[in-house]
Amino acid sequence: MLLVLVVIGQAFLFINMSEIKIVEAPPGIEGNGFFATSLDKAIGLARSHSLWPLPFATSCCGIEFMATMGSHYDFGRFGSERLSFSPRQADVLMVMGTIAKKMGPVLKQVYLQMAEPRWVMAVGACASSGGIFDTYSVLQGIDEIIPVDVYVPGCPPRPEAILDGFQRIQDLVKNESGRRRHSPEYKELLASYGIQ
Amino acid sequence: MSNNQPVYTDNDPQSELVTLNLGPTHPATHGVFQNVLQMDGERIVSGVSTIGYIHRAFEKIAEHRPFYQITPLTDRLNYCSSPINNMGWHMTVEKLLNIQIPKRVDYLRVIIMELSRIADHIICNTIIAQDTGATTTFLYLFQYREHIYEIFEEICGARLTTNIGRIGGLERDFNEVAFAKINKFLKEFPAALKEFESLLNRNRIFIDRTKGVAEVTADTALSYSWTGPLLRATGIDYDVRVSEPYSSYQDFDFEIPVGTSGDIFDRYLVRNEEMWQSVRIIEQAMEKLKSEPKGIFHADVPDFYLPGKEQVYNNMEALIYHFKIVMGEIDAPKAEVYHAVEGGNGELGFYLINDGGRSPYRLHFRRPSFINYQMYAKMSEGMLLSDAIINMSSMNIIAGELDA
Amino acid sequence: MAKATNTELIDLLGEKFGEQLFDVSEPYGLLTFSTTKDKVIDVLSFLKENGRINFNFLTDITAVHYPEKEQIAVVYHLHSMVSGIRVRLKVFLHENDPKIASATVLWNGANWMERETYDFFGVKFEGHPDLRRILNMDDLGVHPMLKQYPLEDPNRVDKKDEYFGR
């Protein structure tokens, strides 16, 4: 069965070869038989198209994420077909939904378990700022406990907005210097959250 | 054992049991549920549920918000079928204020509520299939949930947390596109649902995984205050739409499907049949709408119905009423009222105490997910872990509704 | 079975409990009455087990805080699916010592409802098998639904009152 699918898939690829978009190479010097660019850019390019997200879905935004994963919006187009439910293998932590104070330590634990480089996306009003729940039990934005790279507004954001946020993460990944995670600024940022 | 604090036997070398911390971020639990299980191999010996991981204090917020601002809160209770919650809340307030709703508005409401019931059941049933290993159905039927969201978008502008309607009616009339989309949905969805059923109903693997798993007797279900499809799967034909018809459900001809053994397969069948019945109800409502006068989408109660922005900007009276409602000078009777609607998961009740103030003195939500879920740990005892996972999917526990 | 009426029910309960049930009213058709905390289990089990009315279904348990009366009311909603009728039973407790017998002896479903009520209002249900917090964190320290506690987190430092006109 699988074999048949693969064969069909390849036939499909063959037919539509002209429609396949291939990402452009990063700027560099091209000559006869060689292409020179910086390693950071090549790695960034590769990374940005195979980010494995960890969906930390707690509430309403998680349902919109399900729609994003569904056939209509097809999240897999961006190289993220494979959801990594294990934090150890994940690149992007997508926090979707309200994080209550009871959940806070769990979220931080998950973040700590992720390997560098790691990115964090706060999807929806609750994860970004607590949203409409300005109450005693809700964390007023996950940036109180972990650093966040991209905020996606909306309550809940539409799937298009989630996709857009994800592309912003891709931009960050593409342009990140290979040494950023070793820089004193980054260490200072983590230290401000009490993370070593 | 299940009634005590979670037990961790990891550090106990004498223990023959393994502690499995299932959740709160386990991928197979579809939400924020924690169960600390004692496992003997693959079999669950005992479990303790911990909830409250997204407790957002709805009831406390409701005591600080005027009536019309509570609608967005109800959206976020059961976010898989927000419109039912919205309507439930509006009808509670309308009951308090003794507002008579025109028939046409009732029919429009019924259409919205039944569409969202279908959306809710699509999620639950495709997730059961997903957890038994069939991703196809999830990808396939979710397309139709997307169509329902498009209809909602046409009606109110939002997809998931809809905030549909106002106290006293709807915010705006359905436009022609919305009706066209509903008609299109009614034409296309039955074929897809039929195909979905033919993929699963007689599927040997699916039946083996679900039939006879997590059986519940009617007595146990009643004793745990179960409602909704879970209770009906055990054979009790309790449905708020029929036992205490609200809105205009008494005008419609539909059946309440019931199961026999209360197992996962029965719950699946009950939900599927309810989708068919919902389609029937929507078809009837569309038919009935034809004989109703066009253009009515709210009751004539300017004291309580928040006027549209166009009127507020162009019409003196509307501006005054808008000011009165928003600044909290409406005159509501001091009373208490309980109103129940049939939500996607069961009886969704609103217990409202009004003391004549701007906001409710007390608002309590009877949340079916919260009440249905309490049996889960007890049910899991003696079950295989993989069965416990599909048991959870088949109970359709919505974290927002569970934790309030 | 024909639908039982509220009058029938009032007669039946009056016969059995007499003065122990008081404050009888019917807001929006839902029969409401109060009883004392010593009698609550008797009343509930009579309602549940009497063959004629048969309130077999516990819809909900919750509580309401009345600070000016220094009272907490525990509210039970029961439903008789057979005769299609609901009742509401209230028990008023003093807010300093809210203790009441647990209904878990009658319905298993009362377990979490009572835990929620304990969590929110601090009502102690005596005889409950496992009375501990359910939604809030164990170290919260207060019962947040009591009227004296604020909605917002009092420990917030980023929200200055002057920006909100208070």
Side-chain angles (χ1 to χ4, degrees):
Chain A
M1 181 66 190
L2 190 69
L3 191 73
V4 176
L5 274 178
V6 169
V7 170
I8 293 171
Q10 284 191 340
F12 185 74
L13 269 181
F14 185 68
I15 295 161
N16 288 302
M17 199 58 108
S18 58
E19 289 177 18
I20 290 177
K21 252 176 85 180
I22 294 174
V23 282
E24 281 173 28
I29 301 161
E30 202 172 354
N32 203 0
F34 78 93
F35 174 72
T37 184
S38 77
L39 188 61
D40 283 0
K41 284 189 180 123
I43 290 177
L45 184 73
R47 269 183 186 160
S48 68
H49 290 91
S50 77
L51 288 170
W52 286 6
L54 165 62
F56 196 91
T58 57
S59 52
C60 332
C61 297
I63 303 291
E64 278 302 61
F65 180 72
M66 276 160 77
T68 318
M69 280 305 296
S71 42
H72 198 93
Y73 291 98
D74 192 12
F75 197 42
R77 288 178 292 166
F78 302 92
S80 310
E81 188 67 59
R82 198 267 188 196
L83 297 183
S84 172
F85 285 103
S86 151
R88 301 278 186 208
Q89 281 85 35
D91 302 306
V92 186
L93 177 63
M94 296 176 75
V95 183
M96 291 166 285
T98 318
I99 302 297
K101 284 181 182 160
K102 198 171 180 176
M103 194 68 176
V106 181
L107 176 64
K108 188 158 186 176
Q109 180 80 12
V110 167
Y111 179 75
L112 290 177
Q113 285 174 346
M114 287 171 69
E116 293 279 14
R118 55 193 165 184
W119 290 270
V120 178
M121 184 170 156
V123 178
C126 291
S128 306
S129 71
I132 62 170
F133 303 106
D134 187 1
T135 65
Y136 59 88
S137 64
V138 175
L139 200 66
Q140 300 300 307
I142 58 166
D143 49 10
E144 290 194 0
I145 51 168
I146 55 173
V148 178
D149 292 287
V150 169
Y151 299 87
V152 180
C155 188
R158 296 179 54 92
E160 290 93 331
I162 299 181
L163 292 178
D164 184 59
F166 192 75
Q167 284 172 302
R168 296 288 81 74
I169 289 265
Q170 283 186 317
D171 291 345
L172 284 178
V173 175
K174 250 181 232 166
N175 299 319
E176 186 177 304
S177 136
R179 299 292 301 167
R180 182 185 165 232
R181 309 271 158 180
H182 301 280
S183 67
E185 290 85 7
Y186 186 70
K187 284 187 179 142
E188 198 182 313
L189 174 73
L190 287 191
S192 71
Y193 287 98
I195 301 168
Q196 289 309 310
Chain B
M1 194 142 191
S2 70
N3 272 328
N4 294 316
Q5 295 269 2
V7 193
Y8 292 90
T9 49
D10 282 4
N11 299 325
D12 177 10
Q14 297 289 312
S15 173
E16 292 188 358
L17 303 179
V18 174
T19 304
L20 181 71
N21 197 352
L22 187 71
T25 61
H26 195 273
T29 54
H30 307 293
V32 201
F33 317 110
Q34 187 188 24
N35 285 285
V36 180
L37 305 173
Q38 300 296 318
M39 308 283 299
D40 180 8
E42 277 285 292
R43 210 164 274 283
I44 297 166
V45 178
S46 71
V48 179
S49 300
T50 311
I51 66 167
Y53 282 105
I54 65 157
H55 173 52
R56 303 186 268 193
F58 281 104
E59 295 178 6
K60 191 81 180 171
I61 300 177
E63 288 177 9
H64 293 77
R65 296 277 182 276
F67 288 106
Y68 69 95
Q69 281 187 359
I70 290 170
T71 321
L73 290 181
T74 60
D75 274 334
R76 286 152 184 84
L77 273 176
N78 181 347
Y79 35 73
C80 292
S81 51
S82 314
I84 300 183
N85 307 345
N86 295 160
M87 302 296 160
W89 164 243
H90 295 321
M91 282 186 271
T92 312
V93 181
E94 283 154 13
K95 196 170 172 180
L96 177 81
L97 300 168
N98 284 318
I99 298 176
Q100 287 299 317
I101 299 296
K103 274 283 172 206
R104 183 170 190 270
V105 182
D106 274 344
Y107 296 149
L108 294 177
R109 282 184 167 180
V110 165
I111 291 175
I112 301 171
M113 286 195 279
E114 292 308 316
L115 281 174
S116 51
R117 193 182 314 284
I118 293 175
D120 195 293
H121 288 349
I122 284 179
I123 292 188
C124 181
N125 273 357
T126 55
I127 292 291
I128 298 177
Q130 164 104 343
D131 284 351
T132 52
T135 313
T136 326
T137 54
F138 170 79
L139 292 174
Y140 187 54
L141 220 56
F142 250 50
Q143 191 65 19
Y144 289 87
R145 203 182 67 118
E146 215 52 59
H147 291 335
I148 295 177
Y149 280 172
E150 277 173 26
I151 297 170
F152 289 165
E153 223 174 333
E154 209 57 60
I155 297 168
C156 72
R159 286 159 50 89
L160 188 72
T161 45
T162 48
N163 203 0
I164 286 185
R166 295 280 181 270
I167 293 160
L170 294 168
E171 184 239 348
R172 64 186 102 163
D173 200 358
F174 287 20
N175 57 22
E176 285 309 312
V177 184
F179 282 122
K181 281 190 172 167
I182 294 170
N183 280 326
K184 182 166 172 274
F185 178 80
L186 287 176
K187 207 179 286 165
E188 288 174 1
F189 180 66
L193 187 56
K194 208 165 168 67
E195 205 163 349
F196 175 71
E197 286 188 332
S198 56
L199 274 169
L200 293 176
N201 279 17
R202 282 157 51 80
N203 184 330
R204 195 68 248 169
I205 302 170
F206 185 71
I207 292 173
D208 283 350
R209 285 297 305 276
T210 54
K211 213 171 174 66
V213 177
E215 284 183 340
V216 179
T217 63
D219 282 339
T220 322
L222 280 179
S223 146
Y224 274 95
S225 298
W226 273 18
T227 45
L230 294 179
L231 179 67
R232 289 192 281 275
T234 66
I236 294 179
D237 60 342
Y238 174 64
D239 188 321
V240 188
R241 288 179 293 173
V242 175
S243 69
E244 291 158 84
Y246 53 91
S247 196
S248 59
Y249 276 107
Q250 65 279 11
D251 298 356
F252 294 94
D253 182 24
F254 63 100
E255 276 155 31
I256 312 175
V258 288
T260 47
S261 61
D263 61 5
I264 296 173
F265 191 62
D266 274 12
R267 295 174 204 162
Y268 158 81
L269 289 179
V270 163
R271 283 204 171 87
N272 254 359
E273 187 53 34
E274 277 184 22
M275 287 198 256
W276 286 113
Q277 297 300 330
S278 295
V279 170
R280 253 180 88 188
I281 296 173
I282 301 170
E283 276 168 356
Q284 292 172 40
M286 292 294 275
E287 199 54 45
K288 282 180 200 292
L289 275 179
K290 285 178 188 158
S291 56
E292 293 293 326
K294 281 201 167 48
I296 297 173
F297 59 96
H298 63 89
D300 188 19
V301 280
D303 282 327
F304 311 112
Y305 178 80
L306 206 58
K309 276 281 176 284
E310 278 167 30
Q311 270 97 48
V312 174
Y313 290 137
N314 297 312
N315 182 329
M316 187 64 172
E317 269 184 23
L319 180 64
I320 293 169
Y321 282 123
H322 182 269
F323 182 80
K324 279 180 78 174
I325 294 169
V326 171
M327 298 312 287
E329 278 185 34
I330 65 165
D331 191 22
K334 291 179 187 177
E336 51 188 322
V337 55
Y338 178 85
H339 184 73
V341 294
E342 182 71 25
N345 290 329
E347 179 178 333
L348 175 71
F350 298 83
Y351 175 46
L352 166 68
I353 300 180
N354 185 37
D355 66 342
R358 226 173 106 82
S359 40
Y361 185 76
R362 170 98 171 93
L363 177 62
H364 177 72
F365 304 103
R366 187 220 186 258
R367 312 182 303 277
S369 287
F370 175 72
I371 291 164
N372 293 348
Y373 185 58
Q374 62 176 311
M375 191 150 98
Y376 180 73
K378 188 102 190 123
M379 276 167 98
S380 304
E381 284 171 19
M383 215 183 256
L384 289 172
L385 178 64
S386 50
D387 290 345
I389 296 285
I390 40 173
N391 186 25
M392 184 179 284
S393 339
S394 76
M395 287 168 87
N396 196 22
I397 305 300
I398 308 294
E401 199 178 52
L402 176 77
D403 289 345
Chain C
M1 192 195 240
K3 287 208 169 193
T5 60
N6 285 349
T7 16
E8 231 175 286
L9 200 59
I10 294 170
D11 291 346
L12 197 69
L13 286 167
E15 212 174 281
K16 170 87 182 161
F17 291 102
E19 292 298 300
Q20 284 150 353
L21 298 182
F22 43 89
D23 289 348
V24 181
S25 62
E26 288 179 57
Y28 302 92
L30 205 154
L31 182 63
T32 305
F33 50 85
S34 308
T35 186
T36 57
K37 67 175 175 182
D38 314 321
K39 278 282 154 198
V40 60
I41 293 299
D42 289 349
V43 175
L44 287 174
S45 57
F46 176 75
L47 285 167
K48 184 187 176 198
E49 273 137 27
N50 185 297
R52 250 181 74 201
I53 43 177
N54 199 2
F55 282 90
N56 57 342
F57 190 79
L58 175 70
T59 304
D60 206 5
I61 299 176
T62 186
V64 189
H65 184 208
Y66 296 100
E68 56 290 356
K69 288 190 258 174
E70 300 191 341
Q71 278 177 329
I72 292 176
V74 178
V75 186
Y76 299 81
H77 282 90
L78 305 187
H79 190 184
S80 166
M81 287 182 178
V82 188
S83 45
I85 186 172
R86 292 177 192 271
V87 290
R88 181 187 295 139
L89 174 64
K90 289 184 177 182
V91 182
F92 287 88
L93 308 169
H94 195 274
E95 67 173 3
N96 291 339
D97 185 31
K99 277 188 189 150
I100 191 170
S102 166
T104 44
V105 289
L106 296 169
W107 290 281
N108 292 320
N111 190 321
W112 278 21
M113 301 177 192
E114 289 182 351
R115 276 180 68 185
E116 191 195 21
T117 311
Y118 165 72
D119 189 356
F120 281 158
F121 292 91
V123 178
K124 292 187 182 63
F125 291 89
E126 288 169 332
H128 190 285
D130 179 31
L131 195 66
R132 58 193 166 91
R133 284 185 187 272
I134 185 161
L135 293 176
N136 288 303
M137 284 182 291
D138 293 328
D139 54 0
L140 185 65
V142 296
H143 297 287
M145 283 295 285
L146 295 176
K147 292 277 181 188
Q148 66 264 36
Y149 296 115
L151 166 68
E152 292 163 17
D153 184 354
N155 303 321
R156 275 186 79 168
V157 287
D158 56 330
K159 202 169 175 184
K160 299 196 173 65
D161 278 353
E162 58 196 285
Y163 298 150
F164 294 88
R166 48 188 189 196

